[in-house]
Amino acid sequence: MPTATAEKAYTGASIQVLEGLEPVRKRPGMYIGGTGKTGLHHLVWEIVDNAVDEATNGYASQIDVTLHKDGTTVTVSDNGRGIPVDKHPTKKIPTLEVILTTLHAGGKFDGSNYLTSGGLHGVGSSVVNALSEELTAEIRRDGSLYEQRYARGVPVTKLKKVRGGVRGTGTTITFRPDTEIFENTDLDAERIKEGLDVKAYLNGSLRIVFKDEAKGEKTEFHHEGGIVEYLDHLIAEAETRRIQDDPFFMQQEKLEGGARLELSFIWTEAPKERIVSFVNGIPTKDGGTHEQGLKDGVTKAVRNYIETHEIGQRKLEITADDIREGMVAVLNLYHTDPQFQGQTKEKLNNPEMRGFVGGAFRVEFEQFLNAHPTVAESIVARIIQAAKARQASRAAVQQVRRKSAVSHRLNLPGKLADCSSTDPSESELFIVEGDSAGGSAKQGRDRRTQAILPLRGKVLNAEQAGRKKVLENKELSNVVDALGCGLGEDLDVNKLRYHKVILLMDADSDGHHIATLLLTFFFRYLKPLIDGGYVYIAQPPLFRVDALKETHWALDEGDRDKIENAIKKKNPRANIEMQRFKGLGEMMPATLKETTLDPEKRRLLRVVIPEDAKIDTEMTISDLMGKDAAPRYSFIMDHAADVEELDV
Ligand code: TTJ
């Protein structure tokens, strides 16, 4: 069998490859930053970036990206020159195989004719190969189609000519991420589309076609206007308006240090600055020296312009922040030897770039200002306005406060019936089990100070689920969103929107179960709220006792018996009427208000962790919470001292 011989012929090479790529499979995180969703998508960008490089260098005009029906296999194809299939000059194997099986640092394929290279800051397509269960390379070159297949980085066939009479040239890579490496190999079409859109903006003449086979959907990305058009997109995204008609644009083919630069920017009415930067077409989320250079240049150029035109106002101090307020910029630097730093290597670190970018930009931008006096005027007016607004600091601070209060509200869960007060010290949040109880509570509440959040779906057991699952749970995330204070390490009690967080559950075992699950969650993720005394349990009555023209409410059987005895003492022949509530849902709103919601009449339990239990609470909680629900509620209630009774 030809395959068998091919495989045999490859034994020697396979061992070598295995050794070469072994570190990648052993510690994938070192090469792609992690094995979660982001790492997984890095594979796509690595392959796409190779094709984009071919386009950036002027050899390809179209890239096709297909996400296949299985949602994890991807094909990336370009119409470039095609990776060379001949034997590599120094190694004894084809160049294609060198590229796909050796870890090459620096991003340049052995000093090939690439001027710049993207990719995972140069770790290369061999990493993708190593982390793919299967990878197929197809090359169209010299009228023929060549093909080679790999599994987990190891060639399983030779590079062979599949057929002749092939028109055009190009490279096609199909790969399927390895399920042994990634927690989940499902790719996100939306995420890929967003990234491809940006690539298309950065290469105006490039056409990228994305096919989502699962959806039977085809999307084309082509932005002739390049990074100037990208500004329009960013302005629309920020829902703001431009304050100048003509954006600034510059392209510098030969920057000092052998780099190339493309930059567009514009001022808008937005309250912040937005700089979107790239190195070799790859996003530098954390900025770096190139961004710093741009910032320096903007400040200096504007200051110089204001001074030479004497439009400044003597008493008005203009800061760098005032100057950059509302500015939207796209900066793409091409560099043969970029150095990155930071946790995710998304920050450019070449120190000389600050001065090179800043200097080159400043010269051109000053020319632009002088050549467009009307534009310059509106820019300067915008900046002076920003400085004045800042100086009128009190008003500004208040405005920001109001804004953040508004945006705060925008994030609130849809099911929350919020209170109108924004003063946390008088605000209460009732977390209510079920929609019908939620309905009664909404009608019976004091709208000014009492908010109602009904829980419908299942509340997750935070003790058994991982953090990720917990955060994905809709009911729990609604609670967190309503509270507004964040959770875990990011929790900020100062942002808590209600100083009473009250669990309102049915007085039955289901209700106890939910209360327990919620308290487990609070204990694990919102403990400062318990420590701060913000968490309460409401006590809805289980019985209504009517006798001698009086109505009494009983929390449980014991309570009911006490009331009954008291009535009989008064009048042994009294006619006693008893009603047991099946659930909060069937209680009239007015009854709920009178017994449970009204601060004048209700009794709340404050949840506290007792001093002596503190040391081993960790243990107790995980012991109890991990298992069955029933003993847990009694644990909470058994610690009667934990839950001190308060009249509030
Ligand atoms: C190398 O120098 C000679 C001409 O071809 C150059 C090259 O490598 N071109 C190239 C690589 N075009 N396209 C690629 C490529 C495309 C994909 C989709 C994936 C990879 C790993 C490379």
Side-chain angles (χ1 to χ4, degrees), residues 422-442:
T422 52
D423 176 4
S425 69
E426 64 166 356
S427 300
E428 307 178 344
L429 174 68
F430 284 87
I431 302 176
V432 186
E433 165 198 2
D435 276 341
S436 68
S440 295
K442 272 179 210 172

PDB file of all heavy atoms in Angstrom, residues 422-442:
ATOM      1  N   THR A 422     -31.330  55.845  44.463  1.00  0.00           N
ATOM      2  CA  THR A 422     -29.985  55.410  44.091  1.00  0.00           C
ATOM      3  C   THR A 422     -29.069  55.463  45.304  1.00  0.00           C
ATOM      4  O   THR A 422     -27.861  55.351  45.177  1.00  0.00           O
ATOM      5  CB  THR A 422     -29.405  56.304  42.965  1.00  0.00           C
ATOM      6  OG1 THR A 422     -29.522  57.664  43.384  1.00  0.00           O
ATOM      7  CG2 THR A 422     -30.152  56.104  41.664  1.00  0.00           C
ATOM      8  N   ASP A 423     -29.675  55.632  46.466  1.00  0.00           N
ATOM      9  CA  ASP A 423     -28.886  55.670  47.698  1.00  0.00           C
ATOM     10  C   ASP A 423     -28.859  54.266  48.299  1.00  0.00           C
ATOM     11  O   ASP A 423     -29.859  53.764  48.800  1.00  0.00           O
ATOM     12  CB  ASP A 423     -29.548  56.674  48.662  1.00  0.00           C
ATOM     13  CG  ASP A 423     -28.852  56.711  50.015  1.00  0.00           C
ATOM     14  OD1 ASP A 423     -27.827  56.016  50.162  1.00  0.00           O
ATOM     15  OD2 ASP A 423     -29.345  57.405  50.915  1.00  0.00           O
ATOM     16  N   PRO A 424     -27.685  53.612  48.236  1.00  0.00           N
ATOM     17  CA  PRO A 424     -27.603  52.214  48.678  1.00  0.00           C
ATOM     18  C   PRO A 424     -28.041  52.036  50.131  1.00  0.00           C
ATOM     19  O   PRO A 424     -28.603  51.009  50.485  1.00  0.00           O
ATOM     20  CB  PRO A 424     -26.128  51.864  48.508  1.00  0.00           C
ATOM     21  CG  PRO A 424     -25.605  52.843  47.518  1.00  0.00           C
ATOM     22  CD  PRO A 424     -26.399  54.086  47.727  1.00  0.00           C
ATOM     23  N   SER A 425     -27.802  53.065  50.971  1.00  0.00           N
ATOM     24  CA  SER A 425     -28.062  52.871  52.393  1.00  0.00           C
ATOM     25  C   SER A 425     -29.556  52.714  52.686  1.00  0.00           C
ATOM     26  O   SER A 425     -29.937  52.156  53.697  1.00  0.00           O
ATOM     27  CB  SER A 425     -27.467  54.019  53.206  1.00  0.00           C
ATOM     28  OG  SER A 425     -28.198  55.186  52.943  1.00  0.00           O
ATOM     29  N   GLU A 426     -30.389  53.171  51.802  1.00  0.00           N
ATOM     30  CA  GLU A 426     -31.824  52.989  52.035  1.00  0.00           C
ATOM     31  C   GLU A 426     -32.441  51.983  51.055  1.00  0.00           C
ATOM     32  O   GLU A 426     -33.636  51.749  51.066  1.00  0.00           O
ATOM     33  CB  GLU A 426     -32.561  54.337  51.955  1.00  0.00           C
ATOM     34  CG  GLU A 426     -32.512  54.978  50.578  1.00  0.00           C
ATOM     35  CD  GLU A 426     -33.515  56.120  50.394  1.00  0.00           C
ATOM     36  OE1 GLU A 426     -34.301  56.362  51.334  1.00  0.00           O
ATOM     37  OE2 GLU A 426     -33.523  56.742  49.330  1.00  0.00           O
ATOM     38  N   SER A 427     -31.586  51.383  50.192  1.00  0.00           N
ATOM     39  CA  SER A 427     -32.126  50.480  49.168  1.00  0.00           C
ATOM     40  C   SER A 427     -32.027  49.021  49.598  1.00  0.00           C
ATOM     41  O   SER A 427     -31.068  48.618  50.249  1.00  0.00           O
ATOM     42  CB  SER A 427     -31.364  50.675  47.852  1.00  0.00           C
ATOM     43  OG  SER A 427     -31.482  52.007  47.404  1.00  0.00           O
ATOM     44  N   GLU A 428     -33.024  48.262  49.195  1.00  0.00           N
ATOM     45  CA  GLU A 428     -33.073  46.835  49.529  1.00  0.00           C
ATOM     46  C   GLU A 428     -33.314  46.018  48.272  1.00  0.00           C
ATOM     47  O   GLU A 428     -34.094  46.415  47.411  1.00  0.00           O
ATOM     48  CB  GLU A 428     -34.221  46.557  50.503  1.00  0.00           C
ATOM     49  CG  GLU A 428     -34.199  47.424  51.748  1.00  0.00           C
ATOM     50  CD  GLU A 428     -35.378  47.152  52.684  1.00  0.00           C
ATOM     51  OE1 GLU A 428     -36.365  46.514  52.243  1.00  0.00           O
ATOM     52  OE2 GLU A 428     -35.302  47.577  53.843  1.00  0.00           O
ATOM     53  N   LEU A 429     -32.641  44.899  48.194  1.00  0.00           N
ATOM     54  CA  LEU A 429     -32.892  43.993  47.072  1.00  0.00           C
ATOM     55  C   LEU A 429     -33.478  42.694  47.620  1.00  0.00           C
ATOM     56  O   LEU A 429     -32.866  42.028  48.461  1.00  0.00           O
ATOM     57  CB  LEU A 429     -31.595  43.678  46.323  1.00  0.00           C
ATOM     58  CG  LEU A 429     -31.739  42.622  45.210  1.00  0.00           C
ATOM     59  CD1 LEU A 429     -32.590  43.158  44.054  1.00  0.00           C
ATOM     60  CD2 LEU A 429     -30.376  42.177  44.686  1.00  0.00           C
ATOM     61  N   PHE A 430     -34.653  42.345  47.157  1.00  0.00           N
ATOM     62  CA  PHE A 430     -35.247  41.053  47.501  1.00  0.00           C
ATOM     63  C   PHE A 430     -34.980  40.073  46.366  1.00  0.00           C
ATOM     64  O   PHE A 430     -35.376  40.315  45.232  1.00  0.00           O
ATOM     65  CB  PHE A 430     -36.762  41.191  47.707  1.00  0.00           C
ATOM     66  CG  PHE A 430     -37.127  41.832  49.016  1.00  0.00           C
ATOM     67  CD1 PHE A 430     -37.215  43.205  49.134  1.00  0.00           C
ATOM     68  CD2 PHE A 430     -37.366  41.054  50.142  1.00  0.00           C
ATOM     69  CE1 PHE A 430     -37.540  43.804  50.347  1.00  0.00           C
ATOM     70  CE2 PHE A 430     -37.699  41.636  51.354  1.00  0.00           C
ATOM     71  CZ  PHE A 430     -37.787  43.019  51.460  1.00  0.00           C
ATOM     72  N   ILE A 431     -34.297  38.995  46.683  1.00  0.00           N
ATOM     73  CA  ILE A 431     -34.100  37.936  45.700  1.00  0.00           C
ATOM     74  C   ILE A 431     -35.192  36.904  45.962  1.00  0.00           C
ATOM     75  O   ILE A 431     -35.257  36.313  47.041  1.00  0.00           O
ATOM     76  CB  ILE A 431     -32.702  37.320  45.835  1.00  0.00           C
ATOM     77  CG1 ILE A 431     -31.648  38.421  45.661  1.00  0.00           C
ATOM     78  CG2 ILE A 431     -32.490  36.216  44.800  1.00  0.00           C
ATOM     79  CD1 ILE A 431     -30.219  37.962  45.877  1.00  0.00           C
ATOM     80  N   VAL A 432     -36.080  36.777  44.987  1.00  0.00           N
ATOM     81  CA  VAL A 432     -37.306  36.022  45.213  1.00  0.00           C
ATOM     82  C   VAL A 432     -37.350  34.791  44.326  1.00  0.00           C
ATOM     83  O   VAL A 432     -36.996  34.845  43.144  1.00  0.00           O
ATOM     84  CB  VAL A 432     -38.536  36.908  44.901  1.00  0.00           C
ATOM     85  CG1 VAL A 432     -39.814  36.187  45.274  1.00  0.00           C
ATOM     86  CG2 VAL A 432     -38.435  38.231  45.639  1.00  0.00           C
ATOM     87  N   GLU A 433     -37.811  33.716  44.921  1.00  0.00           N
ATOM     88  CA  GLU A 433     -37.889  32.462  44.188  1.00  0.00           C
ATOM     89  C   GLU A 433     -39.164  32.437  43.352  1.00  0.00           C
ATOM     90  O   GLU A 433     -40.266  32.588  43.872  1.00  0.00           O
ATOM     91  CB  GLU A 433     -37.883  31.321  45.213  1.00  0.00           C
ATOM     92  CG  GLU A 433     -38.297  29.985  44.682  1.00  0.00           C
ATOM     93  CD  GLU A 433     -38.683  29.057  45.839  1.00  0.00           C
ATOM     94  OE1 GLU A 433     -38.654  29.480  47.004  1.00  0.00           O
ATOM     95  OE2 GLU A 433     -38.997  27.911  45.552  1.00  0.00           O
ATOM     96  N   GLY A 434     -39.002  32.286  42.054  1.00  0.00           N
ATOM     97  CA  GLY A 434     -40.161  32.087  41.188  1.00  0.00           C
ATOM     98  C   GLY A 434     -40.798  33.382  40.717  1.00  0.00           C
ATOM     99  O   GLY A 434     -40.757  34.407  41.378  1.00  0.00           O
ATOM    100  N   ASP A 435     -41.395  33.299  39.523  1.00  0.00           N
ATOM    101  CA  ASP A 435     -41.996  34.483  38.910  1.00  0.00           C
ATOM    102  C   ASP A 435     -43.282  34.924  39.596  1.00  0.00           C
ATOM    103  O   ASP A 435     -43.562  36.120  39.691  1.00  0.00           O
ATOM    104  CB  ASP A 435     -42.285  34.218  37.439  1.00  0.00           C
ATOM    105  CG  ASP A 435     -41.045  34.457  36.592  1.00  0.00           C
ATOM    106  OD1 ASP A 435     -40.122  35.146  37.076  1.00  0.00           O
ATOM    107  OD2 ASP A 435     -40.995  33.957  35.464  1.00  0.00           O
ATOM    108  N   SER A 436     -44.074  33.968  40.103  1.00  0.00           N
ATOM    109  CA  SER A 436     -45.358  34.388  40.664  1.00  0.00           C
ATOM    110  C   SER A 436     -45.135  35.064  42.014  1.00  0.00           C
ATOM    111  O   SER A 436     -45.767  36.078  42.319  1.00  0.00           O
ATOM    112  CB  SER A 436     -46.320  33.208  40.773  1.00  0.00           C
ATOM    113  OG  SER A 436     -45.870  32.297  41.741  1.00  0.00           O
ATOM    114  N   ALA A 437     -44.202  34.528  42.798  1.00  0.00           N
ATOM    115  CA  ALA A 437     -43.853  35.202  44.046  1.00  0.00           C
ATOM    116  C   ALA A 437     -43.239  36.559  43.728  1.00  0.00           C
ATOM    117  O   ALA A 437     -43.513  37.563  44.399  1.00  0.00           O
ATOM    118  CB  ALA A 437     -42.877  34.358  44.853  1.00  0.00           C
ATOM    119  N   GLY A 438     -42.434  36.573  42.666  1.00  0.00           N
ATOM    120  CA  GLY A 438     -41.826  37.830  42.230  1.00  0.00           C
ATOM    121  C   GLY A 438     -42.898  38.847  41.899  1.00  0.00           C
ATOM    122  O   GLY A 438     -42.789  40.026  42.235  1.00  0.00           O
ATOM    123  N   GLY A 439     -43.982  38.384  41.253  1.00  0.00           N
ATOM    124  CA  GLY A 439     -45.089  39.264  40.883  1.00  0.00           C
ATOM    125  C   GLY A 439     -45.751  39.862  42.120  1.00  0.00           C
ATOM    126  O   GLY A 439     -45.979  41.071  42.188  1.00  0.00           O
ATOM    127  N   SER A 440     -46.019  39.011  43.102  1.00  0.00           N
ATOM    128  CA  SER A 440     -46.638  39.500  44.340  1.00  0.00           C
ATOM    129  C   SER A 440     -45.730  40.517  45.026  1.00  0.00           C
ATOM    130  O   SER A 440     -46.184  41.559  45.524  1.00  0.00           O
ATOM    131  CB  SER A 440     -46.879  38.345  45.317  1.00  0.00           C
ATOM    132  OG  SER A 440     -47.828  37.456  44.770  1.00  0.00           O
ATOM    133  N   ALA A 441     -44.441  40.182  45.043  1.00  0.00           N
ATOM    134  CA  ALA A 441     -43.487  41.062  45.718  1.00  0.00           C
ATOM    135  C   ALA A 441     -43.413  42.412  45.014  1.00  0.00           C
ATOM    136  O   ALA A 441     -43.344  43.465  45.661  1.00  0.00           O
ATOM    137  CB  ALA A 441     -42.113  40.398  45.771  1.00  0.00           C
ATOM    138  N   LYS A 442     -43.459  42.388  43.681  1.00  0.00           N
ATOM    139  CA  LYS A 442     -43.397  43.647  42.929  1.00  0.00           C
ATOM    140  C   LYS A 442     -44.588  44.532  43.264  1.00  0.00           C
ATOM    141  O   LYS A 442     -44.465  45.750  43.373  1.00  0.00           O
ATOM    142  CB  LYS A 442     -43.389  43.358  41.427  1.00  0.00           C
ATOM    143  CG  LYS A 442     -41.988  43.149  40.876  1.00  0.00           C
ATOM    144  CD  LYS A 442     -42.027  42.832  39.390  1.00  0.00           C
ATOM    145  CE  LYS A 442     -40.846  41.955  39.041  1.00  0.00           C
ATOM    146  NZ  LYS A 442     -40.912  41.449  37.663  1.00  0.00           N
TER     147      LYS A 442
END
